[in-house]
Amino acid sequence: MREIFEAELQQVGDDLTEMSRLVDSAISRAGTALLTADLQLAQSVIADDRAIDQLERDLDERCVLLLAQQQPVATDLRVVVSALRMSATLERMGDLARHIAQVARGRFPRHAIDPSVEATFASMHDAATRVARRTTTLLQTRDLTVAANIERDDDLLDQLHQDTFAALLTDSWTGDAQATIDVTLVGRYYERFGDHGVSVARRVVYLVTGDFAEDRGTPAVSA
Amino acid sequence: MREIFEAELQQVGDDLTEMSRLVDSAISRAGTALLTADLQLAQSVIADDRAIDQLERDLDERCVLLLAQQQPVATDLRVVVSALRMSATLERMGDLARHIAQVARGRFPRHAIDPSVEATFASMHDAATRVARRTTTLLQTRDLTVAANIERDDDLLDQLHQDTFAALLTDSWTGDAQATIDVTLVGRYYERFGDHGVSVARRVVYLVTGDFAEDRGTPAVSA
């Protein structure tokens, strides 16, 4: 009985890691599609989001079956409940990558991001890609230094997000309403990506240490 | 044993309804604060969001204990797992109300919403308030006609969201970058509010009928 349980729990962990890998690929390609106005790449991200959604449904069903058949308690129970939560978070990260790709597709053949803020969005793309990669690593290794690095990249994303507002509010901003909308929405998507990464990181920290950091919530959007 | 279980399950249901009631109040006050530039009301929404967050944590802990001590199966298990999911969704709805209040507070004493789109946002406020009220009713009664009405208001919120983009992209839009940012973000918050309401509605429908409608995901933000 215990062996079956261990195998099923392992499968839940593997599914989470696989979801995270797909999200990692999606956010990486979405950012490239956005910054290079690559229609094909954008379309691939949009199409591939279904695989992430399906994996979430499979994983959730697996968790419910595991709860019903194995009736885990204590730490094992918390692992399964956390997996249910983390799969929902990873699914949302996939959605955000899809939204970024949809903006890239909607503006093609033009670039969605105004040249004056391209460097900021390139930095957001780098930070978000690191968050995704580290989330995968964290799920595989439960190495808590990785969790700390995710928190740092989230802080960076918050700062870059504020930078995008600052750029929009200077006199030198010459973008039209569409450009302002795109910078506002895509900036928001990247910022949320960091929040979700932190949410996964804190759940893993909790599973390892039993200590759940108070959720800081989403930072105020003050601009 | 069964009696204890029934009582605890009832408490989970009561907690969810209470969360939904607090969210209902938050979204109603946030919208009024936004549309009337009421600083005090905005601040009350921001302060009260902590109670929603705390209720989520309490409810989640209750669900985990219930799983550990009562080891429910079949429908009972799905009710508990759904409660875990729905509490996360309601917490996010509370966050969105807080974000709207933060925009109102950030622009005070000015109105955040440009007069040219005020009617559209008043309609979004009405639809979002109905979604919140109906979510509370649905959690109490499990009346599926209420779920269908939530779907309809979500469709309306999507349409109104597109209307806000259309307004921003006409030649007659004279708002500055800050006004464009505010309309873009607040419109997005309202649109998400409908998605979350539908998410809760579908989980309740699933619990009642065993039939889970395919998640439509977040509509494309195409403007």
Side-chain angles (χ1 to χ4, degrees):
Chain A
M1 197 70 172
R2 182 74 201 174
E3 274 163 39
I4 295 174
F5 178 73
E6 291 288 353
E8 289 186 5
L9 209 57
Q10 180 64 43
Q11 186 60 51
V12 165
D14 290 349
D15 281 359
L16 271 181
T17 306
E18 175 63 12
M19 271 189 88
S20 187
R21 242 190 239 111
L22 293 180
V23 167
D24 178 353
S25 166
I27 194 71
S28 168
R29 287 178 292 144
T32 303
L34 180 80
L35 294 167
T36 64
D38 185 329
L39 179 63
Q40 267 197 317
L41 200 58
Q43 279 173 328
S44 80
V45 174
I46 295 163
D48 292 352
D49 190 43
R50 292 189 184 190
I52 298 175
D53 295 348
Q54 185 59 50
L55 206 46
E56 189 207 8
R57 281 192 289 269
D58 294 348
L59 201 156
D60 286 0
E61 204 46 45
R62 192 186 296 281
C63 286
V64 172
L65 279 175
L66 214 161
L67 289 170
Q69 293 169 351
Q70 305 285 344
Q71 311 212 320
V73 293
T75 305
D76 291 339
L77 173 59
R78 288 192 184 273
V79 167
V80 179
V81 170
S82 293
L84 279 168
R85 299 266 184 63
M86 291 193 276
S87 78
T89 303
L90 291 168
E91 191 272 331
R92 275 305 297 159
M93 292 168 92
D95 284 349
L96 292 168
R98 173 165 54 83
H99 292 335
I100 292 170
Q102 283 168 329
V103 172
R105 182 177 68 175
R107 298 305 152 262
F108 182 82
R110 288 182 298 112
H111 283 235
I113 298 301
D114 190 89
S116 66
V117 288
E118 212 179 273
T120 306
F121 277 90
S123 298
M124 291 185 109
H125 168 68
D126 291 344
T129 307
R130 282 196 303 273
V131 166
R133 197 142 306 155
R134 283 171 170 156
T135 300
T136 308
T137 305
L138 180 64
L139 288 168
Q140 285 173 319
T141 65
R142 297 200 177 179
D143 173 354
L144 300 190
T145 60
V146 177
N149 285 330
I150 291 172
E151 297 258 1
R152 254 195 298 278
D153 273 321
D154 176 50
D155 291 341
L156 177 58
L157 280 166
D158 289 343
Q159 182 54 56
L160 291 165
H161 188 214
Q162 294 302 319
D163 291 350
T164 64
F165 288 129
L168 294 176
L169 297 173
T170 56
D171 290 338
S172 60
W173 173 251
T174 56
D176 58 13
Q178 181 70 70
T180 306
I181 292 170
D182 289 340
V183 166
T184 302
L185 284 180
V186 176
R188 168 90 183 148
Y189 300 148
Y190 274 115
E191 185 259 324
R192 288 294 298 153
F193 202 83
D195 294 339
H196 287 303
V198 164
S199 164
V200 172
R202 290 188 184 172
R203 290 205 181 278
V204 174
V205 170
Y206 174 69
L207 288 175
V208 174
T209 68
D211 184 28
F212 197 71
E214 181 82 1
D215 187 14
R216 294 177 302 172
T218 307
V221 176
S222 58
Chain B
M1 197 71 172
R2 181 73 202 176
E3 273 163 37
I4 295 173
F5 177 73
E6 291 288 353
E8 289 186 6
L9 208 58
Q10 179 64 44
Q11 187 60 52
V12 165
D14 290 349
D15 281 0
L16 271 181
T17 306
E18 176 62 13
M19 271 189 88
S20 187
R21 242 188 240 113
L22 293 180
V23 167
D24 178 354
S25 165
I27 192 75
S28 168
R29 286 180 293 145
T32 303
L34 180 80
L35 294 167
T36 65
D38 186 330
L39 179 63
Q40 266 196 317
L41 200 58
Q43 279 173 326
S44 79
V45 173
I46 295 163
D48 293 351
D49 190 43
R50 292 188 184 191
I52 297 175
D53 295 348
Q54 185 58 50
L55 206 47
E56 188 206 9
R57 282 191 288 269
D58 294 348
L59 201 157
D60 286 0
E61 204 45 47
R62 191 186 296 281
C63 286
V64 172
L65 279 175
L66 214 161
L67 289 171
Q69 293 170 350
Q70 305 284 344
Q71 312 213 317
V73 293
T75 304
D76 291 338
L77 174 58
R78 288 193 184 270
V79 167
V80 178
V81 170
S82 293
L84 279 168
R85 300 266 184 62
M86 289 193 279
S87 77
T89 303
L90 291 168
E91 191 272 330
R92 276 303 298 159
M93 291 168 91
D95 285 348
L96 292 169
R98 174 166 52 83
H99 292 335
I100 291 169
Q102 284 167 329
V103 172
R105 182 177 68 176
R107 297 306 153 261
F108 182 84
R110 288 182 299 114
H111 283 237
I113 298 301
D114 190 88
S116 67
V117 287
E118 213 179 272
T120 306
F121 277 90
S123 297
M124 291 185 108
H125 167 67
D126 290 344
T129 307
R130 281 196 304 271
V131 166
R133 196 141 307 156
R134 282 172 171 155
T135 299
T136 307
T137 305
L138 180 63
L139 288 168
Q140 286 174 317
T141 65
R142 299 201 177 179
D143 173 355
L144 300 190
T145 59
V146 177
N149 284 330
I150 291 172
E151 298 258 1
R152 253 195 299 279
D153 272 321
D154 176 50
D155 290 341
L156 176 59
L157 280 166
D158 289 342
Q159 182 54 55
L160 292 165
H161 188 214
Q162 293 303 317
D163 290 350
T164 64
F165 288 129
L168 294 176
L169 297 173
T170 55
D171 289 339
S172 60
W173 174 250
T174 56
D176 58 12
Q178 182 69 70
T180 305
I181 291 169
D182 289 340
V183 166
T184 302
L185 283 180
V186 177
R188 168 89 184 148
Y189 300 148
Y190 274 115
E191 185 261 324
R192 288 295 297 153
F193 202 81
D195 294 339
H196 288 304
V198 164
S199 164
V200 172
R202 289 188 184 172
R203 290 206 182 277
V204 174
V205 170
Y206 174 69
L207 288 175
V208 174
T209 67
D211 184 27
F212 197 70
E214 181 80 3
D215 187 15
R216 292 176 304 172
T218 308
V221 177
S222 59

